[in-house]
Amino acid sequence: MKVLLIEDNVELASSISAFLAREGYICEISYNIRDAQDKLISFQYDCVLLDIMLPDGNGLEILRFMRQEKLQSSILILSAKNSLDDKIIGLEEGADDYLTKPFHMPELNARLRAIYRRKTLNGSNIIAFNEITLNIDTFEAWVNGTQLDMTRKEFDLLMYFMVNRNRVLSRQSIAAHLWGDYTDNLSNFDFVYQHVKNIRKKISAASGTDYIGTVYGLGYKFHTSRQ
Amino acid sequence: MKIVDRFTLWFLGVTLLIIPINSYITYNSIKKEIDKAAVERLKHVNARAAEQLARGEAVGEFMQGCRIKATPSDSTMPADFFLITDRDVKHDPDLEDYDRKITVASWHQISGVSYKIISGDYVTRSEQILAGLRVSIFWKLIILIGLVVLTARLASRLVLAPFYNTLKKLQHFNLRSRKKLEFKPTRTKEFNELNCFVGKMTDKAVDDYISLKEFSENASHELQTPLAIIRSKLELMSEYNIEGEEAVLISDMQNAVDKLTRINKSLVLLARLENNEYESQETLNFSRFVRESVNTFCDLVTLKGLTMEYRIEENVDVKLHAALVDILLNNLVGNAIRHNYPGGHISVELTAGKLVISNTGHEPQEPVEEMFRRFRKGAGCQNSVGIGLSIVKQICDMNGFTINYRFQAGHHIITVDFPPASVSSKLLQNDARSLHEKTQL
């Protein structure tokens, strides 16, 4: 997947592109609107990561520009301004999703994957890895042909793991993914631990491989190499 | 007490003090003048009697309505000597009326014989003067008080108009509207000074408020990007083969960044709420949101070994911005889960106009009033930022909901009352209006 990252902060841009590169994305960076417009016209991207506040104008201009030029790339807005207006306008102007800074990298990855699935893979609703299959429309999880009895949150969490294979997922990142931004009172990570434990138990019960492991001190990881 | 009443009372007090003094002076001067006139008249009568005697005519008992008596006398006195006496006499026992009689005696040398001429007359008695004065004072007072009371309000309305104008403007003054106050110039020096002063103060307050707002908004927004950088670098770092103590260090940093992020987001949200950026024009189906929220937290309730029951009335409509509903509910239900003990109980009840969330828990150690303040947290919640309830409170205040907390029989009970849909959500304006009504003249 080819991604254009439009972000004026060099440090953040390098972090994001490093992360995306590890995921196997091809990532190019523009630090301002003019450069972004040049790149958008010259090359084709599957997805555009767009910062709203740019040195030479508002990122929303890019949205309008892309619509004018009839560019088909998916757009994910990354904004430091946690403003509802920006979000609504952004989505109305044709953006596919909206993420507020500071975000967790695995979250960015999950959102990117979701957008990509919706648009490029013509809405394929199946995520599969070896014996585990998820249907993201019906929220059903199958292991070796057995359907798992999962709650909605457990399903979300398993999907988060499946999308971020071989990535360390911190407890903070998982909590934010499951319960959103304003989960001040849910920062008790016992809940995360409980959820992960339940998923592992359920997969094992269906004779699936226990791919999910604890990374000491840091969180959890979905190990694709486990047998 | 109003200014006009105070002035009126003061004026009446001064009047009441002055009137007795004034009447005493009046009484004395009238009495003196009457006596003086009577004495002058009697002197004149005596002189006339002396002339009559000199012409050889006898003097009658009365002359010019005054009793007169001329007798030859042994003693001689200078021509300009008069003996004046006055006494109260009972003129007529039947009438039982007292009178005051003034007599004037003078000595005259007529044809070598010395005569003593005495004349006397009755004059108005002091009591009678006082009686007259009393009536006049009474009427004077009535007219004075009447006029003062009647005209004071009118006068104060005219004179104090600029003052009341300033007062009204101050009551409607709202820092959040960021509008500076403007006053009409008046002819009264004090009011001009007052307006000038008030104007300067409110301008300063507005300026300070704006710069404070700008500062906190900028600070919050500018913090987001560095936070994003730190978080992303930490996440990249944890992808390496980190083990043991290094992992714990990274984890601690992640926790701190996470907390910082949450504080920052909450503060931005509070600032936005204060700016009325989430003003709602439409009502939404609150029942649906409550049900969703309860479902979202089902897992957590089970994980913590709690039981939850809920009674949600259908189609409860509430005027609230959609973005705030989740924040409101998640904070309230989340708190009910967090401040609970294993095996505890939560109940959520939504009826038209009221949401009641109660949960078992330990008795709060802090004063209940402190609960809704920022960065207050109960014991044993080290992970929390302590801003959730103050966000809830702010949301409630901004939308005209009333939120109440009480601890009763081992249960924390939070009640949110929604105003009827027709009532305007602007609490602040309502306050201002009622204040304004109270100060109407």
Side-chain angles (χ1 to χ4, degrees):
Chain A
M1 180 157 64
K2 205 173 163 194
V3 175
L4 176 64
L5 171 62
I6 308 170
E7 161 68 59
D8 62 323
N9 187 291
V10 181
E11 290 296 322
L12 188 58
S14 83
S15 284
I16 295 174
S17 74
F19 181 88
L20 295 181
R22 282 164 151 257
E23 277 304 303
Y25 299 90
I26 299 155
C27 182
E28 288 178 10
I29 306 174
S30 285
Y31 297 106
N32 54 52
I33 290 182
R34 279 192 53 190
D35 183 54
Q37 286 174 340
D38 287 350
K39 282 207 170 85
L40 281 168
I41 288 185
S42 317
F43 309 101
Q44 205 180 346
Y45 297 94
D46 294 308
C47 189
V48 175
L49 297 180
L50 179 61
D51 185 12
I52 292 284
M53 285 194 278
L54 289 165
D56 55 346
N58 191 314
L60 295 173
E61 284 174 36
I62 301 260
L63 285 178
R64 288 173 206 129
F65 172 79
M66 287 177 70
R67 221 176 28 194
Q68 268 170 23
E69 301 292 322
K70 297 194 168 50
L71 300 173
Q72 294 300 315
S73 323
S74 311
I75 300 154
L76 174 55
I77 294 177
L78 309 174
S79 173
K81 227 176 151 194
N82 186 14
S83 149
L84 201 76
D85 292 343
D86 276 0
K87 188 168 182 173
I88 291 170
I89 295 169
L91 296 179
E92 273 174 359
E93 295 273 349
D96 295 270
D97 207 347
Y98 187 100
L99 205 52
T100 313
K101 288 179 195 171
F103 44 81
H104 292 277
M105 291 293 191
E107 183 67 37
L108 173 64
N109 184 31
R111 302 279 186 107
L112 263 178
R113 291 275 178 191
I115 293 173
Y116 189 65
R117 256 197 322 268
R118 274 206 301 272
K119 269 206 170 166
T120 324
L121 301 179
N122 294 324
S124 162
N125 52 8
I126 301 292
I127 300 174
F129 177 75
N130 290 354
E131 70 269 34
I132 304 175
T133 311
L134 304 182
N135 183 326
I136 55 172
D137 285 342
T138 56
F139 305 110
E140 286 169 337
W142 307 77
V143 174
N144 292 324
T146 322
Q147 192 185 342
L148 301 185
D149 177 26
M150 282 187 142
T151 66
R152 179 67 199 278
K153 288 289 173 204
E154 285 166 353
F155 182 88
D156 282 348
L157 182 54
L158 181 56
M159 188 167 82
Y160 196 50
F161 273 118
M162 300 266 289
V163 170
N164 289 293
R165 287 167 223 171
N166 293 322
R167 293 256 165 232
V168 177
L169 299 184
S170 65
R171 285 167 296 232
Q172 293 89 347
S173 149
I174 293 173
H177 179 76
L178 292 184
W179 296 296
D181 280 340
Y182 296 99
T183 51
D184 175 23
N185 41 25
L186 298 172
S187 51
N188 193 335
F189 296 128
D190 290 350
F191 293 133
V192 174
Y193 168 76
Q194 291 278 359
H195 271 310
V196 174
K197 201 176 87 181
N198 285 348
I199 293 177
R200 290 172 74 175
K201 218 189 283 173
K202 284 174 185 177
I203 293 174
S204 299
S207 349
T209 311
D210 187 14
Y211 295 106
I212 301 170
T214 310
V215 182
Y216 175 75
L218 294 175
Y220 304 93
K221 196 180 202 172
F222 190 96
H223 298 275
T224 51
S225 53
R226 283 201 186 175
Q227 296 296 316
Chain B
M1 195 184 257
K2 284 186 170 185
I3 288 184
V4 54
D5 293 336
R6 296 192 76 119
F7 271 120
T8 311
L9 276 184
W10 183 252
F11 181 76
L12 290 180
V14 169
T15 312
L16 288 178
L17 187 73
I18 279 177
I19 277 180
I21 298 171
N22 187 33
S23 359
Y24 178 74
I25 294 168
T26 315
Y27 164 71
N28 271 330
S29 60
I30 288 177
K31 190 179 165 194
K32 217 167 125 195
E33 281 304 314
I34 288 176
D35 286 1
K36 210 169 127 194
V39 167
E40 283 303 316
R41 198 152 50 87
L42 291 175
K43 278 180 187 171
H44 182 68
V45 166
N46 283 8
R48 286 275 303 277
E51 278 169 26
Q52 224 171 320
L53 281 173
R55 282 200 300 271
E57 294 168 22
V59 175
E61 200 183 347
F62 288 96
M63 180 179 275
Q64 292 183 355
C66 301
R67 186 178 274 272
I68 190 159
K69 198 174 161 192
T71 47
S73 165
D74 300 335
S75 58
T76 51
M77 292 288 173
D80 55 349
F81 178 80
F82 300 96
L83 184 70
I84 300 160
T85 52
D86 58 82
R87 63 197 164 100
D88 290 337
V89 291
K90 204 170 190 180
H91 173 65
D92 187 348
D94 292 335
L95 284 174
E96 285 200 340
D97 192 15
Y98 289 91
D99 251 331
R100 191 158 158 270
K101 191 178 184 183
I102 288 185
T103 52
V104 171
S106 55
W107 285 262
H108 302 265
Q109 290 288 335
I110 300 162
S111 323
V113 186
S114 177
Y115 283 92
K116 182 191 180 189
I117 302 174
I118 303 171
S119 61
D121 197 7
Y122 298 97
V123 294
T124 320
R125 261 168 50 243
S126 51
E127 287 89 348
Q128 289 162 333
I129 300 174
L130 268 179
L133 274 177
R134 262 201 299 275
V135 174
S136 87
I137 286 168
F138 175 72
W139 282 111
K140 227 189 266 177
L141 260 181
I142 285 196
I143 293 169
L144 199 62
I145 293 173
L147 277 180
V148 164
V149 169
L150 282 178
T151 56
R153 299 200 160 236
L154 193 71
S156 98
R157 203 177 283 212
L158 288 174
V159 175
L160 294 181
F163 174 72
Y164 284 114
N165 201 20
T166 306
L167 214 60
K168 203 161 85 186
K169 285 216 166 118
L170 272 179
Q171 264 152 7
H172 283 276
F173 177 64
N174 185 357
L175 266 183
R176 283 186 195 134
S177 71
R178 299 177 187 192
K179 261 188 244 147
K180 298 196 172 177
L181 290 183
E182 274 170 29
F183 301 102
K184 272 181 252 163
T186 75
R187 276 181 297 173
T188 319
K189 187 174 157 242
E190 282 89 342
F191 292 151
N192 268 334
E193 275 173 10
L194 176 74
N195 286 349
C196 182
F197 202 68
V198 167
K200 268 186 200 158
M201 264 167 54
T202 49
D203 286 359
K204 178 99 175 65
V206 168
D207 287 345
D208 285 356
Y209 182 77
I210 290 174
S211 60
L212 190 69
K213 269 259 158 305
E214 276 174 0
F215 171 77
S216 56
E217 277 174 27
N218 289 345
S220 304
H221 286 145
E222 292 307 315
L223 275 176
Q224 308 271 54
T225 307
L227 277 173
I229 295 170
I230 299 174
R231 184 178 265 179
S232 63
K233 303 283 180 199
L234 281 175
E235 268 164 350
L236 284 178
M237 207 170 175
S238 61
E239 294 292 332
Y240 295 98
N241 283 326
I242 303 280
E243 276 170 3
E245 283 185 25
E246 289 169 18
V248 176
L249 289 178
I250 291 179
S251 174
D252 287 349
M253 284 193 267
Q254 278 178 335
N255 270 334
V257 171
D258 206 51
K259 197 163 179 180
L260 200 51
T261 308
R262 270 186 280 129
I263 293 173
N264 204 35
K265 277 189 176 167
S266 303
L267 288 178
V268 172
L269 177 70
L270 278 171
R272 285 179 188 287
L273 284 171
E274 279 168 15
N275 285 349
N276 285 328
E277 283 181 39
Y278 291 106
E279 216 164 280
S280 173
Q281 304 303 329
E282 292 160 21
T283 57
L284 47 83
N285 188 340
F286 202 61
S287 309
R288 194 167 56 83
F289 283 93
V290 175
R291 194 165 294 116
E292 266 175 26
S293 181
V294 165
N295 287 336
T296 309
F297 285 100
C298 253
D299 283 6
L300 294 185
V301 169
T302 326
L303 283 182
K304 207 169 170 180
L306 308 171
T307 49
M308 177 153 76
E309 61 162 354
Y310 50 89
R311 221 168 32 249
I312 298 167
E313 201 171 286
E314 288 303 315
N315 299 323
V316 175
D317 288 334
V318 168
K319 203 168 169 188
L320 184 62
H321 197 292
L324 301 180
V325 187
D326 285 336
I327 298 173
L328 179 79
L329 290 172
N330 288 354
N331 270 302
L332 288 177
V333 180
N335 270 346
I337 294 172
R338 202 237 293 265
H339 300 282
N340 218 322
Y341 44 71
H345 181 77
I346 297 171
S347 106
V348 178
E349 195 179 329
L350 177 72
T351 51
K354 201 180 211 177
L355 172 71
V356 183
I357 296 179
S358 80
N359 63 284
T360 49
H362 303 290
E363 196 165 348
Q365 256 125 53
E366 305 216 345
V368 171
E369 315 82 62
E370 300 264 295
M371 272 187 61
F372 294 108
R373 290 181 54 193
R374 291 180 194 182
F375 303 111
R376 291 278 154 182
K377 35 190 163 178
C381 295
Q382 287 308 311
N383 278 324
S384 108
V385 175
I387 208 167
L389 269 185
S390 87
I391 289 178
V392 167
K393 176 97 170 87
Q394 188 81 28
I395 293 175
C396 288
D397 286 352
M398 284 295 158
N399 290 282
F401 306 163
T402 32
I403 182 160
N404 279 303
Y405 167 83
R406 65 180 194 278
F407 186 80
Q408 198 181 322
H411 283 74
H412 301 279
I413 303 165
I414 287 213
T415 316
V416 181
D417 289 298
F418 313 115
S422 57
V423 176
S424 155
S425 67
K426 290 288 205 105
L427 253 193
L428 262 172
Q429 278 189 4
N430 286 345
D431 276 351
R433 216 172 292 135
S434 68
L435 264 176
H436 174 56
E437 275 160 13
K438 275 184 214 149
T439 53
Q440 286 284 304
L441 286 167

